[in-house]
Every structure is written in C-alpha cells, then in structure tokens.
C-alpha cells in the first residue's frame, strides 16, 4: 500500500484488476491477455522515487559477471559504487581502513565532509587495500579511534569526541555497504506530508 496525501489514507499501488488469459500452442506459443476493465495505478511521489532508486540496482543484478562483459559494459558495471558513505553530522570525520593481508602494511585514511542526504563513493580508496579487515572512525588522525566495524556484518559504534554521533554500517545487499555517520537519534519522514514533532522534557516542552 502507498499513502495518498490528497485523501490522507493508504491505498494499494495497483487497484484490483480482472483480466482473462488464453494460451495457444503449436509451432510457437501465443498468449492472449484480455482486460475486463480499466487498470488503475496510484501514482504517488514517494513510492515512485523508491521504485526508481531500486531499478538501477535491479538491472545491474541481471548483468553477467564482469569477466564476460565487453569494454563498454565493464565501464558501466565499474561505475556502480559498492561502498558508500553519508555524513549527516555537522563536522568532517575521518575513516581509517585496515587490511588483513601482509601487503596491507599501512592503513588508508579518508576524510568525509558533511554531505547531507547525498552519499559519496569509497571504492577508489578501497582499491588500495588487498583485503579489508575492518574500519574505524574518528574526528582526526590524532584523536581516539572508534571501535572497529567489520565489513561482513552490520553494526553501529560511537565516535569518540563526538557526543551523540554514531557510525553505522549497513548492508543493503550482500555486495554493497553503506556507512552512515549521523546523530544517534534522527527522524526520517517517508511520507508526503510535513509532520510536526515535539520533544517533551521532564519539566518543560522543548520546541
């Protein structure tokens, strides 16, 4: 179901639809679909944006392995970022990548400025590491590092020196990672309506 802001209620993305189907087999198979009425689809901005955001990843999953692609297709597959970061805090933060192989003698560091709701790719930096073991986050190279985040699993750790700010590693799919640097408490409005939120303290109302 999707939220229809005009009516303020939830409606199905596709209304009930009746149709008939006939199959004729011979040298070739022919399938005939006959509609018994109109097909009504609720076009609402939020679910449409979600569907459009999923389509590129879905199409990429249908492609064959990169080794079997030609030059142009390899470039297209390579352009899909598999490790991303988003910094929703008010200050730049530093990520340190540590490898597990003997070739990875030095950790790789990368500074992530505040990005708002936009993400930035980390794939180019990760190519410098043979095998990523874990990553940590800090305010700078001289500050204390956070507890490690392991790429094989999701998790969240506090960032030292940044009260209330967390580093959260998500796995939207088995081959993709998303690192979110953000306050521990945040509100994500997935509706098409503007909502008012009030926080009540023990003795006063905080706007």
């Amino acid at each position: 179901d999707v939220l229809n802001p005009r009516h303020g209620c939830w409606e199905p993305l596709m209304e009930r639809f009746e149709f008939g189907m006939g199959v004729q087999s011979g040298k070739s198979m022919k399938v005939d679909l006959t509609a018994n009425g109109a097909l009504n689809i609720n076009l609402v901005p939020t679910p449409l944006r979600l569907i459009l955001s999923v389509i590129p990843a879905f199409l990429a999953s249908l492609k064959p392995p990169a080794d079997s692609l030609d030059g142009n297709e390899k470039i297209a597959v390579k352009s899909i970022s598999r490790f991303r970061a988003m910094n929703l805090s008010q200050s730049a933060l530093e990520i340190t990548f540590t490898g597990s192989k003997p070739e990875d003698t030095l950790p790789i560091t990368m500074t992530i400025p505040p990005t708002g709701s936009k993400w930035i790719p980390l794939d180019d930096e990760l190519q410098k590491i043979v095998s990523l073991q874990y990553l940590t986050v800090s305010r700078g190279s001289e500050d204390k590092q956070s507890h490690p985040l392991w790429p094989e699993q999701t998790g969240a750790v506090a960032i030292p020196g940044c009260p209330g700010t967390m580093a959260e590693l998500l796995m939207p799919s088995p081959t993709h990672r998303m690192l979110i640097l953000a306050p521990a408490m945040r509100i994500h409005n997935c509706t098409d309506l503007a909502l008012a939120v009030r926080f009540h303290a023990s003795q006063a109302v905080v706007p």
Side-chain angles (χ1 to χ4, degrees):
D1 289 351
V2 296
L3 178 64
N4 189 329
R6 292 184 178 179
H7 301 99
C9 62
W10 294 90
E11 296 181 349
L13 179 63
M14 182 181 298
E15 299 287 352
R16 186 180 181 88
F17 176 67
E18 296 182 357
F19 64 93
M21 182 176 68
V23 180
Q24 299 178 3
S25 59
K27 293 183 179 180
S28 61
M29 180 178 292
K30 181 180 180 182
V31 179
D32 294 325
L33 296 178
T34 304
N36 297 328
L39 173 60
N40 297 319
I41 299 177
N42 292 314
L43 300 178
V44 184
T46 297
L48 284 179
R49 285 194 294 266
L50 289 174
I51 293 173
L52 292 176
S53 66
V54 171
I55 288 177
F58 174 72
L59 295 177
S61 67
L62 300 179
K63 289 183 175 293
D67 294 339
S68 63
L69 302 177
D70 59 26
N72 294 332
E73 290 177 325
K74 286 184 178 180
I75 294 175
V77 171
K78 187 177 180 180
S79 64
I80 300 175
S81 179
R82 299 185 181 278
F83 207 121
R84 309 173 180 181
M86 181 186 297
N87 186 356
L88 299 176
S89 70
Q90 301 298 319
S91 58
L93 298 171
E94 190 172 275
I95 305 175
T96 301
F97 302 97
T98 302
S100 60
K101 299 295 183 181
E103 299 89 335
D104 301 321
T105 56
L106 295 175
I108 302 297
T109 59
M110 182 177 182
T111 301
I112 308 297
T115 63
S117 60
K118 297 181 180 180
W119 56 265
I120 60 176
L122 305 180
D123 300 77
D124 292 340
E125 292 296 322
L126 290 176
Q127 288 179 359
K128 302 175 183 178
I129 297 180
V130 177
S131 177
L132 177 62
Q133 184 178 12
Y134 63 87
L135 64 91
T136 56
V137 183
S138 66
R139 291 197 306 173
S141 57
E142 302 297 329
D143 294 306
K144 184 179 179 181
Q145 298 287 324
S146 69
H147 290 294
L149 288 169
W150 309 92
E152 298 85 7
Q153 61 190 31
T154 60
V157 296
I159 302 176
C162 299
T165 303
M166 307 289 292
E168 185 176 4
L169 185 62
L170 305 177
M171 296 175 59
S173 70
T175 58
H176 290 70
R177 303 292 183 273
M178 170 66 83
L179 179 64
I180 299 179
L181 311 172
M185 182 177 180
R186 53 190 184 268
I187 299 175
H188 188 196
N189 186 0
C190 294
T191 72
D192 296 305
L193 304 175
L195 304 178
V197 180
R198 302 182 72 186
F199 297 93
H200 295 262
S202 58
Q203 297 180 353
V205 177
V206 181

